[in-house]
Amino acid sequence: MTNTQDFIPRMQARALSVTYSGRVALEEVDLDMPGRSVTALIGPSGCGKSTFLRALNRMHDLVPEAQIRGRVLLDGRDVLAPDVDVVELRRRVGMVFQRSTPFPKSIFDNVAFGLRMAGLRERHELEGRVEASLRAAALWQETKDRLRDSALALSGGQQQRLCIARAIATKPDVLLLDEPASALDPRATEEIEALMLALSAVYTIVVVTHSLAQARRVGDRAAFFFLGRLVEAGAASNVLLEPSDPRTRAYVSGRVG
């Protein structure tokens, strides 16, 4: 992991609030997410972690009853501004969901999907980008001889790594992961965690995790959410092992959540 003292924020949330039909899901969150690092979001179910994550690339735009206030800055620019190209934003801020969501297409076409949407058509370049993405997702050796096979034939862990390969194929700046290993067995979980650590050398990664052990293994920084508010954030070792807020201490000790 990177020395957290050297971190410079790549994304920042400022007074970020989200409501659904008037119900507050997230309230006045300020959080810095440094580049080339893993920021782990922790907290009990329903505390606002995934709501926060989805706000970072405007997934709430797809929910009519959702309202967002505040700012989300990417390299200093507010991505919630009305003149922002949302398609381009989601290219720069890719997302992988809790359950793997491969398209009912071939392995190759899954990874190439975003590239084709961006206008890339030249076959040789497509093949090179697909291979590079599968290699980066530690999936090339397992799939190089079956690229025309259905992605749905892959195991659960392989499907999740395929979704990560698809997300990084368009060369995003930030990768959002919403409990990417929650439905996987221990070996597949270990593979996803190793992949997160490897990718954090290149990408800004923000991950929601239900596992404190996982947050300790992969997190450079950690942020504890409770009842829609950000309670505490900082170096993962501090938040998880020596928290300053009694609510965080109660959660990491197992007394709450």
Side-chain angles (χ1 to χ4, degrees), residues 26-246:
L26 199 69
E27 190 168 6
E28 297 288 321
V29 171
D30 291 325
L31 181 63
D32 290 346
M33 291 148 281
R36 296 186 178 183
S37 68
V38 178
T39 299
L41 310 183
I42 62 172
S45 296
C47 67
K49 306 184 298 295
S50 292
T51 297
F52 176 81
L53 194 75
R54 290 166 182 258
L56 299 181
N57 72 346
R58 293 180 55 165
M59 291 297 292
H60 296 303
D61 286 11
L62 305 174
V63 182
E65 63 270 23
Q67 293 185 322
I68 301 181
R69 300 188 309 278
R71 295 186 299 159
V72 174
L73 307 176
L74 175 59
D75 294 333
R77 185 183 181 193
D78 185 7
V79 305
L80 301 181
D83 62 339
V84 167
D85 182 338
V86 177
V87 173
E88 173 61 13
L89 169 64
R90 291 178 186 149
R91 185 201 66 77
R92 294 188 64 192
V93 184
M95 187 163 185
V96 176
F97 297 94
Q98 180 176 359
R99 294 193 176 276
S100 54
T101 54
F103 302 140
K105 300 174 179 288
S106 71
I107 294 168
F108 182 95
D109 286 340
N110 264 268
V111 182
F113 182 83
L115 299 171
R116 287 174 170 143
M117 290 289 289
L120 184 60
R121 295 288 184 269
E122 203 280 316
R123 185 70 185 182
H124 180 73
E125 187 173 356
L126 267 177
E127 290 175 346
R129 293 280 291 274
V130 167
E131 178 178 343
S133 300
L134 288 170
R135 285 187 182 278
L139 194 56
W140 174 250
Q141 292 301 323
E142 298 165 56
T143 61
K144 63 181 181 179
D145 297 322
R146 50 190 300 206
L147 295 176
R148 299 302 167 194
D149 292 354
S150 171
L152 302 179
L154 296 173
S155 70
Q158 289 173 326
Q159 287 186 12
Q160 195 66 299
R161 280 183 284 148
L162 178 69
C163 292
I164 293 173
R166 187 175 67 200
I168 64 178
T170 56
K171 298 183 178 179
D173 301 306
V174 180
L175 189 59
L176 311 177
L177 305 174
D178 192 357
E179 298 196 30
S182 65
L184 303 181
D185 61 42
R187 178 166 182 170
T189 295
E190 184 179 351
E191 291 171 341
I192 292 295
E193 290 179 0
L195 180 55
M196 277 192 273
L197 291 172
L199 292 175
S200 67
V202 178
Y203 301 100
T204 300
I205 296 179
V206 186
V207 56
V208 169
T209 178
H210 67 289
S211 167
L212 293 175
Q214 183 173 86
R216 287 194 294 269
R217 290 191 293 265
V218 305
D220 295 293
R221 295 180 66 80
F224 172 60
F225 286 75
F226 189 69
L227 298 178
R229 288 184 172 272
L230 175 63
V231 172
E232 184 171 352
S237 57
N238 293 339
V239 174
L240 296 167
L241 300 177
E242 299 179 355
S244 60
D245 191 282

